[in-house]
């Protein structure tokens, strides 16, 4: 199981007890719809909670539930429903996390996060206050706010999106599934009606978003499988280039959908980049200079050499003109 899926499950487990305590008798299907998972995942999580609880792990220590697919009731919470009292260290960690989320567009409502920060600081006192406590309010990005509203309300969205691997701006209708945070970037996970598949849309590459007057209807198979959260899965229908990347250029891994990364002893790496436009990829590699080399396919390598040679020839012409 990937780290993304483990993190997602941990989040659900931490919230299930108060969720079911507030909704006694709810069915697994209704809970799954509320939480954005499948009924099978709900039942698996409940079976995991069955053996969780307080140290001692005997009668009266473990969470106790009465559940079936038709009805779920928490009979003993093991204290998870009690008001949380934070130490100064815990409050500081939580404040740092909330302030970090404010820098990630679309993850949270900035107003709600800032309100939570103010309440924690007021409760924890000066021990948890930091230099960012008096910072100006963070405005909500309008595009991120519309996407968050669409996910919350289950509405389809029309996107204007820049694709880095294709070097194009496209218009497409999508059925939102959830918002995810991967490698310090925020993404909308959605069913793309154009591609007829699940895609991840990075928030800072969404130029515009318009909520459509129709409900989001992602296919059930898109909701059942979390493999789409593996960000750099690539599009198998596109041609692939194998690249050598110098140690000082490994930042490219954060900006392009590189897969099959192999780290080398000198700090450089080899990786695969799928592309739709050979012209775009040639232009990208030439622009990066000695930091990136094409290992294959041969036709692409030859195209890069030809473009680089043409650029050098142009410099020679300029030099001759200046000398004359």
């Amino acid at each position: 199981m990937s780290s993304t899926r483990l993190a997602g499950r941990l989040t659900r487990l931490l919230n299930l007890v108060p969720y079911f305590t507030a909704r006694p008798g709810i069915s697994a299907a209704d809970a799954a719809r509320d939480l954005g998972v499948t009924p099978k995942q709900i039942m698996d999580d409940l079976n995991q909670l069955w053996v969780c609880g307080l140290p001692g792990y005997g009668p009266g220590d473990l969470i106790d539930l009465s559940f079936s697919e038709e009805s779920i009731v928490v009979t003993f919470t093991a204290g998870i429903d009690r008001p949380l009292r934070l130490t100064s260290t815990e409050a500081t960690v939580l404040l740092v996390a909330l302030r970090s989320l404010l820098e990630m567009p679309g993850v949270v409502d900035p107003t709600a996060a800032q309100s939570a920060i103010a309440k924690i600081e007021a409760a924890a006192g000066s021990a948890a206050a930091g230099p960012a406590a008096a910072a100006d309010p963070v405005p909500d990005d309008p595009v991120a706010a519309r996407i968050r509203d669409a996910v919350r309300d289950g509405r389809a969205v029309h996107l204007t999106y820049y694709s880095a691997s294709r070097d194009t701006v496209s218009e497409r209708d999508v059925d939102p599934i959830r918002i995810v945070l991967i490698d310090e970037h925020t993404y909308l996970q959605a069913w793309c009606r154009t591609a007829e598949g699940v895609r991840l849309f990075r928030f800072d590459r969404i130029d515009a978003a318009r909520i459509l007057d129709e409900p989001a209807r992602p296919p059930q198979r898109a909701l059942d499988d979390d493999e789409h959260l593996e960000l750099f899965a690539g599009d198998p229908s596109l041609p692939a280039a194998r690249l050598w990347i110098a140690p000082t250029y490994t930042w490219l891994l954060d900006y392009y959908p590189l897969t099959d990364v192999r780290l080398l002893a000198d700090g450089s790496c080899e990786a695969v980049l799928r592309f739709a436009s050979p012209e775009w990829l040639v232009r990208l590699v030439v622009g990066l200079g000695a930091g990136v080399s094409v290992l294959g396919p041969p036709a692409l390598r030859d195209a890069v050499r030809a473009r680089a040679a043409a650029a050098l020839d142009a410099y020679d012409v300029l030099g001759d003109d200046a000398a004359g």
Side-chain angles (χ1 to χ4, degrees), residues 7-29:
R9 191 177 188 198
L10 175 60
T11 302
R12 292 198 303 274
L13 288 172
L14 291 174
N15 286 281
L16 282 183
V17 173
Y19 172 85
F20 287 118
T21 300
R23 300 164 179 79
I26 191 172
S27 69

Side-chain angles (χ1 to χ4, degrees), residues 25-161:
I26 191 172
S27 69
D30 289 341
R33 186 164 50 251
D34 286 349
L35 300 175
V37 296
T38 64
K40 181 181 183 302
Q41 287 175 313
I42 289 291
M43 299 305 291
D44 289 344
D45 288 344
L46 290 172
N47 279 301
Q48 182 68 47
L49 281 174
W50 191 270
V51 294
C52 296
L54 302 172
Y57 309 111
D61 299 321
L62 299 178
I63 296 170
D64 200 4
L65 311 104
S66 173
F67 64 92
S68 65
E69 291 191 358
E70 289 73 31
S71 176
I72 301 167
V73 177
V74 178
T75 55
F76 180 64
T77 65
I80 290 182
D81 61 337
R82 297 172 190 166
L84 180 64
R85 288 178 170 81
L86 300 175
T87 66
S88 60
T89 300
E90 291 170 337
T92 300
V93 171
L94 185 56
L95 286 171
V96 170
L98 284 170
R99 289 168 183 149
S100 298
L101 288 176
L102 281 174
E103 299 176 2
M104 304 294 176
V107 177
V108 295
D109 181 343
T111 302
Q114 289 164 341
S115 175
I117 288 172
K119 291 176 181 177
I120 294 171
E121 288 175 341
S126 60
D136 294 333
V138 177
D140 199 2
D141 179 78
V143 172
R146 279 192 289 274
I147 294 173
R148 194 169 56 246
D149 290 344
V151 173
R152 181 195 62 209
D153 299 334
R155 311 299 297 181
V157 181
H158 180 81
L159 297 181
T160 303
Y161 187 73

Side-chain angles (χ1 to χ4, degrees), residues 107-273:
V107 177
V108 295
D109 181 343
T111 302
Q114 289 164 341
S115 175
I117 288 172
K119 291 176 181 177
I120 294 171
E121 288 175 341
S126 60
D136 294 333
V138 177
D140 199 2
D141 179 78
V143 172
R146 279 192 289 274
I147 294 173
R148 194 169 56 246
D149 290 344
V151 173
R152 181 195 62 209
D153 299 334
R155 311 299 297 181
V157 181
H158 180 81
L159 297 181
T160 303
Y161 187 73
Y162 169 70
S163 173
S165 63
R166 296 175 183 268
D167 192 28
T168 58
V169 175
S170 62
E171 304 272 342
R172 61 183 80 195
D173 293 339
V174 303
D175 298 292
I177 298 173
R178 59 175 68 89
I179 294 172
V180 294
L181 185 63
I182 305 174
D183 293 337
E184 300 183 357
H185 290 290
T186 312
Y187 295 83
L188 170 67
Q189 183 194 18
W191 176 264
C192 177
R193 298 179 183 177
T194 302
E196 296 187 344
V198 175
R199 295 292 185 269
L200 289 171
F201 301 97
R202 207 166 104 175
F203 270 53
D204 59 358
R205 293 176 180 166
I206 299 175
D207 294 332
R210 176 169 53 87
I211 299 177
L212 301 178
D213 189 23
E214 58 180 287
R217 296 190 180 92
Q220 187 60 44
R221 67 179 184 276
L223 302 175
D224 289 344
D225 195 349
D226 279 347
E227 70 178 4
H228 308 292
L229 293 180
E230 299 300 332
L231 175 60
F232 298 138
D235 185 344
S237 67
L238 297 177
R242 183 143 196 97
L243 307 177
W244 173 85
I245 302 172
T248 54
Y249 283 74
T250 53
W251 53 266
L252 292 167
L253 299 174
D254 295 328
Y255 288 88
Y256 296 95
L258 292 156
T259 62
D260 302 319
V261 178
R262 184 168 71 90
L263 298 178
L264 305 178
D266 62 355
S268 64
C269 67
E270 294 181 6
V272 171
L273 176 62

